[in-house]
């Protein structure tokens, strides 16, 4: 169909965005370390499946931000720049644009709202699959960048716009573990040593393999 082909052509990423050495993104640090290594040493263009999820997430973020702005008693800001230096390794910084984050301010309270779109929301909430660790870790970094803020993970079901929110407190231990992961990846890149395929090895990460652009390459590299 002509219309579908035009739309798909414009939403699929057709260029590499090469990151600066030592800069890592909050949304990716808890992805499989091997995948992140491939992203930086032999990047592959994202496919249409990945592009569809991205465009839906962006549309949801914009819609919810606009709805919140209609509330006259609150101040709403979205897509903020972020920069968090590693506490001990000065070669490493967490940086980027928090494009799934909405900051809500009213009276003297500040809430950091991270929006995630999912399928089967009610099932995942009922069975304890949410909130996911990587989402908590990402919001935790935002809370490190904006101290004394309250965190909210807002999950939105892509099929019916059902929503569920989780209040999150800053977790110093999780922050340090996140920085450890950034350092592990940084060291692997410096010496060009392929990390272990942790998504294959950890039950809670195996789902990442299903959508990985490097699955065949990873299987070959062992």
């Amino acid at each position: 169909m002509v219309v579908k082909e035009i739309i798909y052509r414009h939403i699929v990423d057709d260029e590499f965005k090469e990151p600066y050495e030592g800069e890592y993104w909050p949304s990716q640090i808890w992805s499989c370390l091997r995948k992140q290594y491939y992203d930086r040493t032999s990047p592959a263009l994202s496919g249409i499946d990945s592009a569809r999820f991205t465009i839906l997430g962006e549309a949801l973020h914009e819609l919810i931000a606009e709805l919140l702005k209609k509330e006259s008693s609150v101040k709403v800001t979205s897509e903020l720049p972020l920069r968090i230096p590693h506490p001990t390794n000065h070669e490493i910084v967490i940086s980027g644009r928090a494009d799934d984050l909405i900051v809500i301010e009213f009276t003297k309270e500040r809430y950091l709202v991270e929006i995630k779109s999912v399928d089967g929301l009610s099932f995942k909430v009922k069975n304890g699959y949410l909130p996911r660790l990587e989402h908590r870790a990402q919001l935790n970094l935002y809370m490190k960048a904006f101290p004394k803020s309250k965190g909210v993970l807002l999950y939105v079901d892509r099929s019916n716009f059902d929503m569920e929110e989780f209040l999150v407190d800053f977790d110093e231990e999780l922050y340090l573990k996140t920085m450890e992961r950034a350092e592990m990846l940084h060291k692997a890149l410096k010496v060009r040593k392929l990390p272990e395929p942790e998504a294959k090895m950890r039950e809670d990460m195996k789902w990442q393999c299903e959508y990985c652009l490097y699955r065949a390459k990873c299987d070959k590299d062992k």
Side-chain angles (χ1 to χ4, degrees), residues 12-24:
V12 172
D13 191 3
D14 60 356
E15 63 176 338
F16 294 118
K17 298 178 179 65
E18 186 172 352
Y20 290 106
E21 183 179 345
E23 289 195 0
Y24 303 98

Side-chain angles (χ1 to χ4, degrees), residues 62-181:
E62 292 176 8
L63 172 61
I64 291 172
E66 288 305 313
L67 291 172
L68 289 170
K69 287 176 182 178
K70 294 183 181 216
E71 188 68 26
S72 59
S73 62
V74 302
K75 177 184 176 183
V76 178
T77 311
S78 62
E79 300 185 2
L80 295 171
L82 184 77
R83 193 167 184 85
I84 308 172
H86 191 283
T88 57
N89 190 329
H90 302 306
E91 295 180 352
I92 299 172
V93 65
I94 308 301
S95 68
R97 186 187 68 172
D99 54 8
D100 62 351
L101 180 70
I102 297 174
V103 180
I104 301 175
E105 296 176 276
F106 61 96
T107 61
K108 294 184 179 180
E109 301 287 346
R110 179 171 58 196
Y111 290 86
L112 307 182
V113 183
E114 182 182 342
I115 301 168
K116 297 296 182 184
S117 61
V118 297
D119 292 316
L121 176 62
S122 59
F123 173 83
K124 289 177 179 176
V125 171
K126 182 179 178 180
N127 290 278
Y129 296 130
L130 299 176
R132 291 211 318 234
L133 172 61
E134 61 268 29
H135 297 162
R136 290 194 294 108
Q138 184 179 348
L139 181 57
N140 204 56
L141 283 174
Y142 298 155
M143 295 172 75
K144 181 69 175 180
F146 299 94
K148 297 183 179 179
S149 298
K150 297 180 180 181
V152 178
L153 268 171
L154 179 66
Y155 287 96
V156 183
D157 195 308
R158 286 187 282 260
S159 65
N160 58 15
F161 206 60
D162 189 18
M163 287 181 276
E164 189 73 37
E165 66 179 22
F166 297 88
L167 295 178
V168 179
D169 293 322
F170 176 72
D171 185 334
E172 180 71 19
E173 183 178 353
L174 180 56
Y175 161 71
L176 293 175
K177 286 181 179 178
T178 303
M179 289 302 188
E180 284 176 11
R181 288 183 63 79

